[in-house]
Amino acid sequence: MNPNNTRVYRMSFASVYPHYLAKAEKKGRTKAEVDEIIFWLTGYNAETLQQHIDNKTDFENFFAQAQLNPNASKITGVICGYRVEDIEEKLMQQIRYLDKLIDELAKGKAMEKILRK
């Protein structure tokens, strides 16, 4: 595990979630769309997502307990200067998948395309 990534893995999902919402809402997208992306990627629902937020689950456990969507591997492109499909650390790749999907939402992409349908 890359020691530089450990800090990210220990961050609580709850601390980053408001940033996802702000990024989307600033571009006229909704909390419902952000949540739909999270549900699609992780297999969580409104109740389980809220539990992770309330419990301040860190990213490591947030993704360890998720049922990653089988189509997640179709998420490609560059986020934060990295090609998501080339990231070798599985957990970092999963975090970047979520970043990439939120980024696509904020850029106005259609939900159908974001959810790789």
Side-chain angles (χ1 to χ4, degrees):
M1 187 184 296
N2 180 334
N4 298 333
N5 293 344
T6 305
R7 190 178 61 83
V8 175
Y9 300 159
R10 301 272 182 272
M11 286 171 65
S12 76
F13 175 80
S15 70
V16 179
Y17 181 66
H19 298 285
Y20 293 146
L21 293 178
K23 183 173 186 169
E25 290 171 347
K26 199 166 62 185
K27 298 292 186 173
R29 304 306 287 256
T30 66
K31 176 186 185 298
E33 288 174 311
V34 170
D35 288 351
E36 186 182 345
I37 286 170
I38 295 168
F39 300 158
W40 177 86
L41 182 63
T42 62
Y44 293 135
N45 59 33
E47 187 182 330
T48 51
L49 177 62
Q50 192 57 54
Q51 286 170 351
H52 284 295
I53 292 168
D54 293 345
N55 296 337
K56 300 196 177 351
T57 306
D58 64 22
F59 271 108
E60 191 167 6
N61 287 298
F62 182 80
F63 279 105
Q65 295 169 36
Q67 295 293 315
L68 209 66
N69 190 299
N71 286 333
S73 60
K74 293 181 178 175
I75 302 167
T76 59
V78 177
I79 189 81
C80 302
Y82 296 97
R83 259 204 176 276
V84 287
E85 62 270 31
D86 295 340
I87 297 172
E88 289 182 12
E89 273 187 52
K90 194 172 140 231
L91 177 57
M92 184 52 75
Q93 185 178 50
Q94 292 168 345
I95 293 168
R96 294 300 184 207
Y97 279 162
L98 184 53
D99 291 344
K100 181 71 178 158
L101 296 176
I102 300 298
D103 197 50
E104 289 177 0
L105 180 70
K107 285 183 174 162
K109 238 186 181 183
M111 283 301 282
E112 194 171 278
K113 283 203 162 61
I114 295 170
L115 303 183
R116 307 309 194 253
K117 293 186 175 164

